[in-house]
Amino acid sequence: MRFSCNGCGKCCHDHHVPLTLAEARDWASDGGALIILLEAVLADGSGLPAGQREHVLRRSLAVRCGQTRAHLAITFAAFNQGACRHLGSDMRCAIYQRRPLVCRIYPMEINPHIPLRAENKDCPAQVWETGPELIVGGQLVDAQLAELIERSRQADREEIAAKAAICQRLGISTSALKGDGFTSYLPQREAFLDALNEVQAQSPEQSEADWALHVSNAALARQLEETGAMIAAILADNCSFIALRADAA
Ligand code: SF4
Ligand code: SF4
């Protein structure tokens, strides 16, 4: 597989760009809006995609959820509806030298279990036919790109406890079940920055708060309650549920 970006700018539209903590601080400080996305799997394996146990658990935090444990994954992302606020009319990035890690990695996948497929990407067909070789024999050949992907995975692992602590300070204690959807929150910028500063001023702490799951339908709620999980009947005012299943109620 070859690849050569043609600068069309499509990937800078309508994508919530996942951010590291430092990037989220910069984004909010610059006046950008953030979205927080939460998903969890349960200790009994509910929500866990087949074959992804190691990857999912490595980037998640074990928290209390009723009588059981949930493994919570949290994404802080730039809230991009339409064009990214940093995209110029010439389709150039105004913060190119300090653009987020994920912008540098696209169109590569960060999840090692998701193979790169051109048809799942925004890039036009011709960019996959020219340029240097990207993947040979299933292996990424660009060492610099491989290092960026590893850095992104490492940030996911190292920052999950701080993200959970920030969510607690923002009053967020509800997650979706992985595969069923995402719980999404749009935090106030100032409140987010205050919470981030408070958490970073303290030594890392293990989250001991109770978390509840919000799911798409009553049958799934009953099934999870039988495992001891706490189910949230309603979501807080400042959040919504992004369903991933066609049969979501
Ligand atoms: S920060 Fe730059 S590269 Fe990233 S989405 Fe925005 S315009 Fe595109
Ligand atoms: S969509 Fe693909 S080709 Fe277009 S700017 Fe983004 S990475 Fe480059």
Side-chain angles (χ1 to χ4, degrees), residues 3 5-11 106 122-124 127:
F3 179 73
C5 173
N6 72 355
C8 70
K10 271 195 79 179
C11 59
Y106 193 88
D122 288 334
C123 312
V127 305

Side-chain angles (χ1 to χ4, degrees), residues 11-12 17 27 80 84 86-87 92-95 99-100 103:
C11 59
C12 301
V17 178
W27 198 271
N80 280 344
C84 171
H86 295 298
L87 187 67
R92 287 176 183 271
C93 173
I95 58 163
R99 68 197 188 287
C103 299

Side-chain angles (χ1 to χ4, degrees), residues 7 50-51 84-85 89 104 238:
C84 171
R85 64 198 300 271
S89 54
R104 297 164 193 264
N238 61 344

Side-chain angles (χ1 to χ4, degrees), residues 122-137:
D122 288 334
C123 312
Q126 62 270 25
V127 305
W128 303 102
E129 294 156 8
T130 56
E133 286 178 324
L134 182 66
I135 294 179
V136 177

